[in-house]
Amino acid sequence: MVNIDTVYQRVLAIANKEQRGYITPLEFNLLANQAQMLVFEQYFYDRNKLADTPGNSMEYSDADKMIDEKIAVFSINDVDVIGGSILPQDLYRLGAVYHREFTETFAPQPAPNANQFKIYEAKLISNKEWGTIQNAPLLRPTNNRPVFIRATDGTITVFGSNNTPLTVVNIGGTVLPSVTCDYIAQPRKVEWGYDVVGEKALHNGAPNRTFHFQHHPSDETDLVYKVLELAGVIIEDQGIVQYANQKDRELVQKQKS
């Protein structure tokens, strides 16, 4: 986690160093949410660039592991897909999709035992591939070799044996979801909470008023520079934009050197 008040105070300190301008809490909150998405999206570009780069044997300085550690903060696993088609609302990038096949030894209870079902990963296919599969019996899906199609509205359909959509399983009157997924969640909205006292905004750190960045602590400096860069446009100060750009480039070069 990165404390949002720390980021705000650092941004104000740099922006006001030479009386360049004041960034209101409302402006900061808007910029902070934009900045966190820029930092968040960069994870995936960095991860792609490192895909073919050998790591190193140093436990705490392997670039692959550092990026994976940052992404892991937003990684959510084994979530039920409602009705076998409706994905989580906070989904940003879909990972693996699974079909849970329950065994005959299943006995209804508040929570199914892990030993009472098998898990099979579904393969993503296009609508064109789905048409091809219909004419090739050997390629048709089965319950232990499922496939799924993702629609333009974001929903999915998982197919098993006899091209039957897999949604839920009803055993002994107990209805349980049979499709789950792993995914990367979109960062939650951040907000620097405040109360106005004597025409001055005072920080309110109450949990229901202030919402911190979920990002890894190592992203704090990057978040500051990203907010500064965006703030420079709002207060029409090219100096801040140039300063933030320079510091951001220095930080990236340092991380990659």
Side-chain angles (χ1 to χ4, degrees), residues 9 14 50 75 78 101 109 112-113 116 126 142 153 185-186 198 243 246 250:
Q9 298 307 322
I14 296 173
L50 291 170
S75 180
D78 196 27
E101 175 119 336
Q109 56 183 352
N113 187 296
Q116 294 174 316
S126 65
T142 62
D153 62 0
Q186 183 170 330
Y243 173 85
Q246 178 186 346
E250 291 176 357

Side-chain angles (χ1 to χ4, degrees), residues 205-249:
N208 64 334
R209 296 291 301 279
T210 290
F211 302 93
H212 302 286
F213 295 98
Q214 294 174 263
H215 294 261
H216 191 278
S218 63
D219 284 327
E220 180 181 301
T221 300
D222 202 11
L223 287 166
V224 171
Y225 294 152
K226 286 289 190 295
V227 173
L228 272 174
E229 184 178 351
L230 296 169
V233 177
I234 287 182
I235 63 179
E236 298 181 351
D237 191 317
Q238 192 61 29
I240 292 182
V241 176
Q242 292 175 349
Y243 173 85
N245 281 333
Q246 178 186 346
K247 291 299 181 180
D248 197 22
R249 287 194 299 270

Side-chain angles (χ1 to χ4, degrees), residues 9-256:
Q9 298 307 322
R10 288 182 62 187
V11 168
L12 288 180
I14 296 173
N16 292 329
K17 186 176 181 181
E18 297 179 4
Q19 300 300 314
R20 288 169 168 165
Y22 177 70
I23 302 166
T24 68
L26 179 60
E27 291 171 336
F28 172 77
N29 285 334
L30 291 172
L31 300 178
N33 280 282
Q34 178 63 26
Q36 80 161 344
M37 288 306 299
L38 292 173
V39 173
F40 178 69
E41 184 62 26
Q42 190 60 44
Y43 293 160
F44 304 100
Y45 290 105
D46 291 343
R47 191 69 191 81
N48 182 58
K49 290 179 181 178
L50 291 170
D52 298 324
T53 303
N56 61 55
S57 59
M58 302 302 291
E59 184 176 2
Y60 299 110
S61 61
D62 185 287
D64 279 344
K65 291 182 179 179
M66 287 191 287
I67 291 295
D68 288 342
E69 186 176 352
K70 292 181 178 183
I71 295 176
V73 175
F74 304 92
S75 180
I76 301 179
N77 301 316
D78 196 27
V79 176
D80 291 338
V81 176
I82 300 174
S85 63
I86 302 176
L87 296 167
Q89 290 186 345
D90 62 344
L91 181 145
Y92 188 76
R93 291 183 184 273
L94 181 62
V97 173
Y98 304 97
H99 163 57
R100 296 194 295 191
E101 175 119 336
F102 291 86
T103 65
E104 295 180 359
T105 59
F106 177 79
Q109 56 183 352
N113 187 296
N115 295 324
Q116 294 174 316
F117 58 83
K118 295 180 180 180
I119 298 176
Y120 302 99
E121 183 174 353
K123 178 184 177 182
L124 173 64
I125 62 172
S126 65
N127 284 309
K128 181 179 179 180
E129 290 174 316
W130 178 242
T132 301
I133 286 175
Q134 305 310 302
N135 298 316
L138 293 178
L139 297 179
R140 290 175 186 170
T142 62
N143 284 1
N144 60 5
R145 188 168 48 81
V147 299
F148 76 98
I149 298 173
R150 192 169 185 182
T152 54
D153 62 0
T155 60
I156 63 172
T157 303
V158 182
F159 295 97
S161 300
N162 301 318
N163 296 339
T164 303
L166 301 172
T167 55
V168 297
V169 60
N170 189 328
I171 302 179
T174 300
V175 178
L176 295 168
S178 66
V179 178
T180 64
C181 70
D182 299 338
Y183 70 101
I184 302 298
Q186 183 170 330
R188 294 192 299 265
K189 182 180 179 180
V190 297
E191 183 171 350
W192 188 81
Y194 64 96
D195 296 312
V196 178
V197 179
E199 298 185 357
K200 184 177 181 180
L202 299 179
H203 180 48
N204 185 334
N208 64 334
R209 296 291 301 279
T210 290
F211 302 93
H212 302 286
F213 295 98
Q214 294 174 263
H215 294 261
H216 191 278
S218 63
D219 284 327
E220 180 181 301
T221 300
D222 202 11
L223 287 166
V224 171
Y225 294 152
K226 286 289 190 295
V227 173
L228 272 174
E229 184 178 351
L230 296 169
V233 177
I234 287 182
I235 63 179
E236 298 181 351
D237 191 317
Q238 192 61 29
I240 292 182
V241 176
Q242 292 175 349
Y243 173 85
N245 281 333
Q246 178 186 346
K247 291 299 181 180
D248 197 22
R249 287 194 299 270
E250 291 176 357
L251 180 62
V252 171
Q253 290 174 357
K254 182 178 180 181
Q255 291 174 342
K256 294 182 177 181

